[in-house]
Amino acid sequence: MSVTPADLMLRRYAAQGLATEAGRIALGYFSRQESLGVTMKGAQDWLTVADGAVEDFLRARLTELFPGDTVIGEEGGGEASDAVWILDPIDGTANFAHGDRTWCISVGFLVNREPTIGIVAAPALDELYVAQRGQGVTLNGQKIAVSGVDDIGRAYVELGWSPRVPSQHYVDMIGRVYAAGGAMKRSGSGALGLCHVANARTDAYAELHINAWDIAAGVVIAREAGGWVSDFFAGDGISKGNPILCCTPALASQLSEITGIS
Ligand code: IPD
Ligand code: CA
């Protein structure tokens, strides 16, 4: 697909507006915890009524506005194409279901498999990240940039976890980060994890397997903030997920070795 700068600008503004509106819908559920209708998709894999409602809203509006684009969502699936929206209606669902504000709505747009637009709305934190490839990134309208940290001995590293990977592999990775002198945390939202590298709240994010909807927006946000991101969309990344490493450029080679992710 060949897209003009005007096509992209239109999509960025539309996605920004829709993510903000979706944030209001999600916040409505979040503020009435008894309305969440929490169920489990599997062990430690949470689902609420809000996930479906937010995805249905975004999918319907994007399809109406851009009928030639395809949409992939965490809950409803979908087909990849050379102009594809990749949505996570609620990322950090376990936090959402427990009343923790660290969750977000993630809207990414890829052109010819290249992450091109990234919007992450975290309404309970009153934060909106907006990025477009080659056009920069903002948080609530202010430019953001990754930290200058180049020494693992000072690095604050987020390590994402899911039950899709044997827990021992995760524990081993934590051990290697501490052994190298780093410090780690886990906040429970991969999408916000990449945003937090972008605005220097952390210096790196790594996860041994993550799905495309978790990071499609965050990849653009982190790269536009000057971050280094592994080649997540190689191979079957869109349909099956991949490992991800995102960090300051100066930490990339050391963290690649520690995590085994390149
Ligand atoms: C999960 C979160 C978590 C990450 C997992 C994801 P969900 O998504 O992003 O932080 O470590 O890999 O599956 O279930 O909250 O949408
Ligand atoms: Ca997710």
Side-chain angles (χ1 to χ4, degrees), residues 16-26 57 105:
Q16 186 175 331
L18 292 175
T20 303
E21 182 57 28
R24 282 191 210 107
I25 297 170
F57 166 78
I105 289 142

mmCIF file with all atom_site columns, all heavy atoms in Angstrom, residues 16-26 57 105:
data_model
loop_
_atom_site.group_PDB
_atom_site.id
_atom_site.type_symbol
_atom_site.label_atom_id
_atom_site.label_alt_id
_atom_site.label_comp_id
_atom_site.label_asym_id
_atom_site.label_entity_id
_atom_site.label_seq_id
_atom_site.pdbx_PDB_ins_code
_atom_site.Cartn_x
_atom_site.Cartn_y
_atom_site.Cartn_z
_atom_site.occupancy
_atom_site.B_iso_or_equiv
_atom_site.pdbx_formal_charge
_atom_site.auth_seq_id
_atom_site.auth_comp_id
_atom_site.auth_asym_id
_atom_site.auth_atom_id
_atom_site.pdbx_PDB_model_num
ATOM 1  N N   . GLN A 1 16  ? -6.155  9.002  17.660 1.00 0.00 ? 16  GLN A N   1
ATOM 2  C CA  . GLN A 1 16  ? -5.996  9.734  18.914 1.00 0.00 ? 16  GLN A CA  1
ATOM 3  C C   . GLN A 1 16  ? -7.370  10.007 19.533 1.00 0.00 ? 16  GLN A C   1
ATOM 4  O O   . GLN A 1 16  ? -7.592  9.807  20.731 1.00 0.00 ? 16  GLN A O   1
ATOM 5  C CB  . GLN A 1 16  ? -5.274  11.038 18.573 1.00 0.00 ? 16  GLN A CB  1
ATOM 6  C CG  . GLN A 1 16  ? -4.888  11.880 19.726 1.00 0.00 ? 16  GLN A CG  1
ATOM 7  C CD  . GLN A 1 16  ? -4.061  13.082 19.255 1.00 0.00 ? 16  GLN A CD  1
ATOM 8  O OE1 . GLN A 1 16  ? -3.360  13.023 18.236 1.00 0.00 ? 16  GLN A OE1 1
ATOM 9  N NE2 . GLN A 1 16  ? -4.140  14.162 19.992 1.00 0.00 ? 16  GLN A NE2 1
ATOM 10 N N   . GLY A 1 17  ? -8.301  10.459 18.696 1.00 0.00 ? 17  GLY A N   1
ATOM 11 C CA  . GLY A 1 17  ? -9.657  10.754 19.178 1.00 0.00 ? 17  GLY A CA  1
ATOM 12 C C   . GLY A 1 17  ? -10.374 9.488  19.641 1.00 0.00 ? 17  GLY A C   1
ATOM 13 O O   . GLY A 1 17  ? -11.007 9.467  20.703 1.00 0.00 ? 17  GLY A O   1
ATOM 14 N N   . LEU A 1 18  ? -10.228 8.413  18.860 1.00 0.00 ? 18  LEU A N   1
ATOM 15 C CA  . LEU A 1 18  ? -10.926 7.168  19.208 1.00 0.00 ? 18  LEU A CA  1
ATOM 16 C C   . LEU A 1 18  ? -10.348 6.540  20.477 1.00 0.00 ? 18  LEU A C   1
ATOM 17 O O   . LEU A 1 18  ? -11.087 6.007  21.306 1.00 0.00 ? 18  LEU A O   1
ATOM 18 C CB  . LEU A 1 18  ? -10.861 6.173  18.044 1.00 0.00 ? 18  LEU A CB  1
ATOM 19 C CG  . LEU A 1 18  ? -11.661 6.581  16.795 1.00 0.00 ? 18  LEU A CG  1
ATOM 20 C CD1 . LEU A 1 18  ? -11.432 5.589  15.663 1.00 0.00 ? 18  LEU A CD1 1
ATOM 21 C CD2 . LEU A 1 18  ? -13.149 6.690  17.112 1.00 0.00 ? 18  LEU A CD2 1
ATOM 22 N N   . ALA A 1 19  ? -9.028  6.599  20.634 1.00 0.00 ? 19  ALA A N   1
ATOM 23 C CA  . ALA A 1 19  ? -8.420  6.029  21.842 1.00 0.00 ? 19  ALA A CA  1
ATOM 24 C C   . ALA A 1 19  ? -8.868  6.825  23.073 1.00 0.00 ? 19  ALA A C   1
ATOM 25 O O   . ALA A 1 19  ? -9.107  6.256  24.151 1.00 0.00 ? 19  ALA A O   1
ATOM 26 C CB  . ALA A 1 19  ? -6.898  6.028  21.724 1.00 0.00 ? 19  ALA A CB  1
ATOM 27 N N   . THR A 1 20  ? -8.990  8.128  22.913 1.00 0.00 ? 20  THR A N   1
ATOM 28 C CA  . THR A 1 20  ? -9.450  8.959  24.034 1.00 0.00 ? 20  THR A CA  1
ATOM 29 C C   . THR A 1 20  ? -10.889 8.604  24.397 1.00 0.00 ? 20  THR A C   1
ATOM 30 O O   . THR A 1 20  ? -11.237 8.440  25.579 1.00 0.00 ? 20  THR A O   1
ATOM 31 C CB  . THR A 1 20  ? -9.335  10.454 23.652 1.00 0.00 ? 20  THR A CB  1
ATOM 32 O OG1 . THR A 1 20  ? -7.971  10.698 23.292 1.00 0.00 ? 20  THR A OG1 1
ATOM 33 C CG2 . THR A 1 20  ? -9.741  11.363 24.800 1.00 0.00 ? 20  THR A CG2 1
ATOM 34 N N   . GLU A 1 21  ? -11.726 8.450  23.366 1.00 0.00 ? 21  GLU A N   1
ATOM 35 C CA  . GLU A 1 21  ? -13.125 8.082  23.596 1.00 0.00 ? 21  GLU A CA  1
ATOM 36 C C   . GLU A 1 21  ? -13.211 6.672  24.204 1.00 0.00 ? 21  GLU A C   1
ATOM 37 O O   . GLU A 1 21  ? -13.976 6.428  25.151 1.00 0.00 ? 21  GLU A O   1
ATOM 38 C CB  . GLU A 1 21  ? -13.876 8.140  22.253 1.00 0.00 ? 21  GLU A CB  1
ATOM 39 C CG  . GLU A 1 21  ? -15.359 7.837  22.306 1.00 0.00 ? 21  GLU A CG  1
ATOM 40 C CD  . GLU A 1 21  ? -16.133 8.753  23.248 1.00 0.00 ? 21  GLU A CD  1
ATOM 41 O OE1 . GLU A 1 21  ? -15.709 9.894  23.444 1.00 0.00 ? 21  GLU A OE1 1
ATOM 42 O OE2 . GLU A 1 21  ? -17.145 8.287  23.803 1.00 0.00 ? 21  GLU A OE2 1
ATOM 43 N N   . ALA A 1 22  ? -12.404 5.761  23.691 1.00 0.00 ? 22  ALA A N   1
ATOM 44 C CA  . ALA A 1 22  ? -12.375 4.399  24.252 1.00 0.00 ? 22  ALA A CA  1
ATOM 45 C C   . ALA A 1 22  ? -11.933 4.440  25.711 1.00 0.00 ? 22  ALA A C   1
ATOM 46 O O   . ALA A 1 22  ? -12.426 3.670  26.543 1.00 0.00 ? 22  ALA A O   1
ATOM 47 C CB  . ALA A 1 22  ? -11.419 3.524  23.431 1.00 0.00 ? 22  ALA A CB  1
ATOM 48 N N   . GLY A 1 23  ? -11.043 5.358  26.023 1.00 0.00 ? 23  GLY A N   1
ATOM 49 C CA  . GLY A 1 23  ? -10.584 5.518  27.405 1.00 0.00 ? 23  GLY A CA  1
ATOM 50 C C   . GLY A 1 23  ? -11.733 5.909  28.326 1.00 0.00 ? 23  GLY A C   1
ATOM 51 O O   . GLY A 1 23  ? -11.831 5.425  29.457 1.00 0.00 ? 23  GLY A O   1
ATOM 52 N N   . ARG A 1 24  ? -12.618 6.763  27.831 1.00 0.00 ? 24  ARG A N   1
ATOM 53 C CA  . ARG A 1 24  ? -13.787 7.153  28.651 1.00 0.00 ? 24  ARG A CA  1
ATOM 54 C C   . ARG A 1 24  ? -14.689 5.954  28.903 1.00 0.00 ? 24  ARG A C   1
ATOM 55 O O   . ARG A 1 24  ? -15.204 5.764  30.001 1.00 0.00 ? 24  ARG A O   1
ATOM 56 C CB  . ARG A 1 24  ? -14.586 8.254  27.950 1.00 0.00 ? 24  ARG A CB  1
ATOM 57 C CG  . ARG A 1 24  ? -13.943 9.597  28.101 1.00 0.00 ? 24  ARG A CG  1
ATOM 58 C CD  . ARG A 1 24  ? -14.866 10.739 27.646 1.00 0.00 ? 24  ARG A CD  1
ATOM 59 N NE  . ARG A 1 24  ? -14.023 11.795 27.145 1.00 0.00 ? 24  ARG A NE  1
ATOM 60 C CZ  . ARG A 1 24  ? -13.862 12.119 25.869 1.00 0.00 ? 24  ARG A CZ  1
ATOM 61 N NH1 . ARG A 1 24  ? -14.567 11.522 24.935 1.00 0.00 ? 24  ARG A NH1 1
ATOM 62 N NH2 . ARG A 1 24  ? -13.024 13.065 25.511 1.00 0.00 ? 24  ARG A NH2 1
ATOM 63 N N   . ILE A 1 25  ? -14.862 5.137  27.855 1.00 0.00 ? 25  ILE A N   1
ATOM 64 C CA  . ILE A 1 25  ? -15.705 3.941  28.015 1.00 0.00 ? 25  ILE A CA  1
ATOM 65 C C   . ILE A 1 25  ? -15.081 3.020  29.071 1.00 0.00 ? 25  ILE A C   1
ATOM 66 O O   . ILE A 1 25  ? -15.752 2.565  30.002 1.00 0.00 ? 25  ILE A O   1
ATOM 67 C CB  . ILE A 1 25  ? -15.853 3.192  26.663 1.00 0.00 ? 25  ILE A CB  1
ATOM 68 C CG1 . ILE A 1 25  ? -16.581 4.084  25.647 1.00 0.00 ? 25  ILE A CG1 1
ATOM 69 C CG2 . ILE A 1 25  ? -16.581 1.865  26.840 1.00 0.00 ? 25  ILE A CG2 1
ATOM 70 C CD1 . ILE A 1 25  ? -16.574 3.537  24.211 1.00 0.00 ? 25  ILE A CD1 1
ATOM 71 N N   . ALA A 1 26  ? -13.784 2.775  28.928 1.00 0.00 ? 26  ALA A N   1
ATOM 72 C CA  . ALA A 1 26  ? -13.104 1.869  29.865 1.00 0.00 ? 26  ALA A CA  1
ATOM 73 C C   . ALA A 1 26  ? -13.139 2.415  31.289 1.00 0.00 ? 26  ALA A C   1
ATOM 74 O O   . ALA A 1 26  ? -13.353 1.666  32.249 1.00 0.00 ? 26  ALA A O   1
ATOM 75 C CB  . ALA A 1 26  ? -11.662 1.655  29.410 1.00 0.00 ? 26  ALA A CB  1
ATOM 76 N N   . PHE A 1 57  ? -16.069 -1.176 20.110 1.00 0.00 ? 57  PHE A N   1
ATOM 77 C CA  . PHE A 1 57  ? -16.174 0.251  19.770 1.00 0.00 ? 57  PHE A CA  1
ATOM 78 C C   . PHE A 1 57  ? -15.074 0.655  18.777 1.00 0.00 ? 57  PHE A C   1
ATOM 79 O O   . PHE A 1 57  ? -15.352 1.238  17.720 1.00 0.00 ? 57  PHE A O   1
ATOM 80 C CB  . PHE A 1 57  ? -16.078 1.091  21.057 1.00 0.00 ? 57  PHE A CB  1
ATOM 81 C CG  . PHE A 1 57  ? -15.836 2.549  20.790 1.00 0.00 ? 57  PHE A CG  1
ATOM 82 C CD1 . PHE A 1 57  ? -16.880 3.382  20.379 1.00 0.00 ? 57  PHE A CD1 1
ATOM 83 C CD2 . PHE A 1 57  ? -14.565 3.095  20.904 1.00 0.00 ? 57  PHE A CD2 1
ATOM 84 C CE1 . PHE A 1 57  ? -16.653 4.729  20.091 1.00 0.00 ? 57  PHE A CE1 1
ATOM 85 C CE2 . PHE A 1 57  ? -14.330 4.432  20.624 1.00 0.00 ? 57  PHE A CE2 1
ATOM 86 C CZ  . PHE A 1 57  ? -15.374 5.256  20.215 1.00 0.00 ? 57  PHE A CZ  1
ATOM 87 N N   . ILE A 1 105 ? -5.186  1.625  26.788 1.00 0.00 ? 105 ILE A N   1
ATOM 88 C CA  . ILE A 1 105 ? -5.738  1.199  25.498 1.00 0.00 ? 105 ILE A CA  1
ATOM 89 C C   . ILE A 1 105 ? -4.634  1.436  24.476 1.00 0.00 ? 105 ILE A C   1
ATOM 90 O O   . ILE A 1 105 ? -4.034  2.516  24.441 1.00 0.00 ? 105 ILE A O   1
ATOM 91 C CB  . ILE A 1 105 ? -6.982  2.036  25.173 1.00 0.00 ? 105 ILE A CB  1
ATOM 92 C CG1 . ILE A 1 105 ? -8.099  1.603  26.131 1.00 0.00 ? 105 ILE A CG1 1
ATOM 93 C CG2 . ILE A 1 105 ? -7.411  1.888  23.729 1.00 0.00 ? 105 ILE A CG2 1
ATOM 94 C CD1 . ILE A 1 105 ? -8.928  2.710  26.598 1.00 0.00 ? 105 ILE A CD1 1
#
